[in-house]
Amino acid sequence: MSFAKIAIFIQLFIYYDYIFCHFICSIHPKPLLLSLYTNPLNLPTIMLVKTYSAAVNGLDVTTVRVEVNIVPGVMYHLTGLGDTAVREGRDRIASALQFNGYKFPHGDITINLAPADLRKEGSSFDLPLAIAILAASGAIVSNSLDQYMMVGELGLDGTLQPIKGALPIAIKARAEKLKGLIVPKQNEREAAVVNNLEVYGMNNIMDVIKLITGAAEYEPTFVDTRREFYEQQYSFDLDFADVRGQESVRRALEVAAAGGHNLIMVGPPGSGKSMMAKRLPSILPPLSLAESLETTQIHSVAGKLQRGTSLISQRPFRAPHHTISEVALVGGGINPQPGEISLAHNGVLFADELPEFNKKTLEVLRQPLEDHKITISRSKYTVEFPCSFMFIASMNPCPCGYFNDPTHNCCCSTGQIQRYMNKISGPLLDRIDIQCEITPVPFKDISKSEPGEPSAAIRERVIKARDIQTARFKDFKGIHCNAQMTERMIHQFAEPDEQSIALLRTAMEKFSLSARAYNRILKVARTIADLAGAENVQSQHIAEAIGYRNLDRGDWAERRIY
């Protein structure tokens, strides 16, 4: 007879024996008969225990009540829409308990993860399940199970492994007015950012048992969030002082940083496009604590937060490879995860060699660039991730890369250049405010011994310009910089005078600029005026902004250097 058949036979025997015992006790209620028939195999008596954990879906966190009920039997039941990782937790729990001197209880164990209609994903439920099973079996006694939220993956020896989403879980635990949160040691600093909550970082399940039973006392983790946050805000590995020459492009990047504008750089290989793009975060305004908290939550949910990190103090810089898929870029998947655009929230998304990206993948950027959020809808879930980022792109001007390069001959025809540029759609290009051409740096500039202007000096001007915009848009919800202005706001804050309008009209006729370039020019001109400290947009600001619309010119591919 197989083991499965034997198990079923024992289960049926105990079930009918259990019913028979209650029938006997109803007509002859003696303690001796009750103990004989209700627990003939010395199985645990009925006991229900509840602990608390959390389920993370997107950036939303739901408190999960872990209910464990043990009655005579031999089966293990798990309800509450747990995924494969949750169901496999039984084997990890059994091994961890045995390794630490506890027996996995023999009985009919029923576990419910409430709310039962919410999907539960990941291995973070191992710890609360193990503690609840021990308490339900009577192996441990604690009166504080309802005071703590617990998350953590168990190793086979009972050690706690790090989990995703510790920061948003800590925020939820504080909102639920729980006394404390128990997390793996690797996640303690991340969760301890949340004040008015006791956070305990534990190495293994034995430490957790000692804490909740009162067998040992542990000090909650303390993080001086503000001190660490402000200390790390001005430390950058890359600086614009390393850049030689390229004053016009440096100026364009300064304007982009001051107004939050998207920018594309077009130039031959080796002209410094990637080098300057990577230094852009060093001139952006520092993160506020609210922005840092929001950014850290996204990286925490994605599992991208470095171990031992409390808060992200510098604006993120994400540079995905051009082979990236749509889901990896915008987020989603079977288990919804934030994509690269959300990981770049409050920072920079850099697309190097833009035409090499799949065109369909690039098109999914159009809506997030406008709405600054991405909503992912599937048949079983809908999640929303924020994605307010600066989009910086670079590309070669033609397939060979040397169009308009004074030191190399281009071998591409006008048609080839046009087809290459057409890989970027008009609607996407329309969302890029600043377009600048780059030429290689001459040898006399490369060989200069003195460094260029440092990032700190540029950043001071950018911060002053952003302060002006903050005061200007204080009454407009969701508007923080000039790049976010609506058309009505453009007419209110960036209305050009008669001389500027005449200049605009001449430029549009001479360079065959499209109508869509009009609002972009006014937005950039408003930022240039803010950098200059001017109250109104003037003709010189308009003239500089017109110079940043090179790709909109109808004769761009025909302006060749021989």
Side-chain angles (χ1 to χ4, degrees):
M1 186 179 293
S2 66
F3 176 79
K5 290 182 179 180
I6 294 174
I8 294 173
F9 175 78
I10 294 174
Q11 173 72 14
L12 290 173
F13 171 77
I14 294 173
Y15 175 73
Y16 287 114
D17 185 74
Y18 188 70
I19 295 176
F20 178 68
C21 94
H22 282 279
F23 172 72
I24 294 296
C25 290
S26 65
I27 61 175
H28 199 336
K30 289 186 177 180
L32 178 62
L33 289 176
L34 180 62
S35 62
L36 175 64
Y37 285 101
T38 56
N39 206 1
L41 298 180
N42 196 27
L43 294 169
T45 56
I46 299 174
M47 184 172 289
L48 176 63
V49 170
K50 300 177 183 179
T51 60
Y52 292 98
S53 188
V56 180
N57 291 287
L59 292 182
D60 296 327
V61 179
T62 304
T63 300
V64 174
R65 190 171 64 254
V66 179
E67 303 172 333
V68 176
N69 183 30
I70 301 180
V71 298
V74 293
M75 301 299 290
Y76 181 90
H77 311 276
L78 176 64
T79 64
L81 292 182
D83 68 351
T84 304
V86 178
R87 295 192 299 269
E88 289 178 346
R90 179 190 184 281
D91 300 322
R92 293 191 293 272
I93 293 170
S95 175
L97 295 183
Q98 184 179 10
F99 190 87
N100 288 276
Y102 292 94
K103 290 184 178 181
F104 193 84
H106 298 289
D108 200 279
I109 303 173
T110 301
I111 298 173
N112 181 44
L113 303 177
D117 60 344
L118 180 72
R119 294 182 308 112
K120 320 298 187 309
E121 299 168 349
S123 55
S124 62
F125 294 96
D126 289 0
L127 178 60
L129 281 172
I131 296 298
I133 289 173
L134 285 176
S137 66
I140 62 173
V141 178
S142 174
N143 296 322
S144 60
L145 287 179
D146 59 346
Q147 300 177 18
Y148 294 96
M149 181 177 285
M150 292 178 276
V151 288
E153 175 187 332
L154 284 177
L156 297 184
D157 59 352
T159 57
L160 291 179
Q161 306 298 324
I163 52 98
K164 297 179 181 179
L167 177 56
I169 289 173
I171 295 174
K172 184 64 176 180
R174 183 181 63 178
E176 294 285 351
K177 301 188 183 324
L178 293 171
K179 177 183 178 181
L181 171 68
I182 301 174
V183 297
K185 192 71 173 179
Q186 298 92 325
N187 298 112
E188 64 176 351
R189 290 180 56 78
E190 174 188 345
V193 167
V194 180
N195 56 8
N196 300 324
L197 178 71
E198 295 180 1
V199 175
Y200 296 92
M202 297 299 178
N203 290 310
N204 54 63
I205 191 173
M206 289 303 298
D207 292 342
V208 179
I209 293 172
K210 292 176 183 177
L211 172 66
I212 64 173
T213 58
E217 293 185 2
Y218 295 89
E219 288 295 324
T221 304
F222 173 75
V223 174
D224 191 343
T225 305
R226 293 182 178 273
R227 182 183 62 81
E228 293 189 7
F229 176 71
Y230 291 116
E231 280 181 354
Q232 299 172 7
Q233 277 195 322
Y234 298 93
S235 176
F236 294 95
D237 296 330
L238 303 175
D239 195 286
F240 267 95
D242 304 326
V243 179
R244 304 290 192 271
Q246 301 292 15
E247 282 76 12
S248 62
V249 185
R250 290 160 62 104
R251 169 64 176 176
L253 287 168
E254 179 180 340
V255 173
H261 302 287
N262 302 321
L263 176 145
I264 186 170
M265 295 175 283
V266 184
S271 55
K273 303 185 294 295
S274 300
M275 178 185 183
M276 287 184 283
K278 291 176 181 178
R279 284 157 175 76
L280 182 60
S282 66
I283 65 173
L284 289 173
L287 285 168
S288 65
L289 265 174
E291 289 176 328
S292 176
L293 187 63
E294 189 176 31
T295 304
T296 307
Q297 285 188 70
I298 297 172
H299 285 250
S300 174
V301 168
K304 303 292 184 182
L305 205 60
Q306 295 181 358
R307 301 305 175 199
T309 301
S310 55
L311 277 179
I312 292 177
S313 56
Q314 297 179 0
R315 295 190 179 272
F317 179 87
R318 306 294 298 184
H321 193 260
H322 60 78
T323 57
I324 189 172
S325 66
E326 295 176 49
V327 173
L329 186 62
V330 301
I334 298 176
N335 300 326
Q337 292 290 315
E340 287 292 331
I341 62 173
S342 295
L343 294 172
H345 182 60
N346 292 322
V348 177
L349 179 71
F350 177 50
D352 199 6
E353 302 299 340
L354 189 64
E356 301 301 326
F357 283 75
N358 184 286
K359 188 171 184 178
K360 189 177 178 182
T361 301
L362 287 178
E363 291 307 301
V364 301
L365 288 174
R366 289 160 54 177
Q367 181 261 341
L369 284 170
E370 290 290 331
D371 298 341
H372 307 293
K373 63 181 180 181
I374 179 70
T375 303
I376 302 167
S377 298
R378 300 290 184 267
S379 60
K380 295 183 178 180
Y381 64 84
T382 297
V383 295
E384 183 177 286
F385 294 110
C387 56
S388 179
F389 59 91
M390 282 182 62
F391 181 58
I392 306 297
S394 69
M395 59 178 290
N396 294 331
C398 64
C400 78
Y402 295 108
F403 168 64
N404 219 20
D405 185 348
T407 61
H408 293 81
N409 291 324
C410 175
C411 60
C412 304
S413 66
T414 301
Q416 288 176 316
I417 298 174
Q418 285 286 13
R419 285 191 296 273
Y420 186 76
M421 295 298 298
N422 286 341
K423 291 183 179 181
I424 308 169
S425 68
L428 179 61
L429 198 61
D430 184 37
R431 288 161 172 79
I432 300 177
D433 298 341
I434 299 178
Q435 308 158 357
C436 57
E437 291 184 77
I438 303 180
T439 55
V441 181
F443 176 77
K444 61 182 181 66
D445 291 333
I446 297 177
S447 59
K448 285 181 179 178
S449 58
E450 65 274 9
E453 186 179 21
S455 294
I458 305 174
R459 196 184 206 190
E460 288 183 7
R461 298 194 294 267
V462 169
I463 292 174
K464 289 180 181 178
R466 285 290 184 103
D467 290 341
I468 294 172
Q469 295 165 50
T470 300
R472 177 185 299 137
F473 303 127
K474 63 181 180 180
D475 297 328
F476 297 89
K477 185 178 180 180
I479 306 296
H480 308 287
C481 57
N482 291 332
Q484 299 172 341
M485 285 194 296
T486 62
E487 190 167 349
R488 180 178 296 180
M489 296 169 67
I490 292 175
H491 291 298
Q492 182 177 353
F493 299 114
E495 189 67 28
D497 55 22
E498 293 184 2
Q499 184 179 0
S500 299
I501 290 177
L503 182 61
L504 269 170
R505 183 185 301 110
T506 303
M508 293 186 72
E509 293 174 355
K510 181 177 180 181
F511 300 120
S512 302
L513 296 179
S514 62
R516 71 185 181 221
Y518 179 79
N519 285 346
R520 304 291 173 181
I521 290 174
L522 291 181
K523 286 183 180 182
V524 175
R526 178 66 268 177
T527 300
I528 296 170
D530 290 339
L531 282 169
E535 184 176 351
N536 298 315
V537 175
Q538 301 170 7
S539 58
Q540 64 267 28
H541 307 142
I542 293 289
E544 183 178 351
I546 291 172
Y548 295 137
R549 300 301 301 183
N550 290 330
L551 300 186
D552 280 342
R553 301 181 182 183
D555 62 341
W556 188 86
E558 299 173 3
R559 296 183 291 108
R560 307 192 63 175
I561 295 178
Y562 295 93

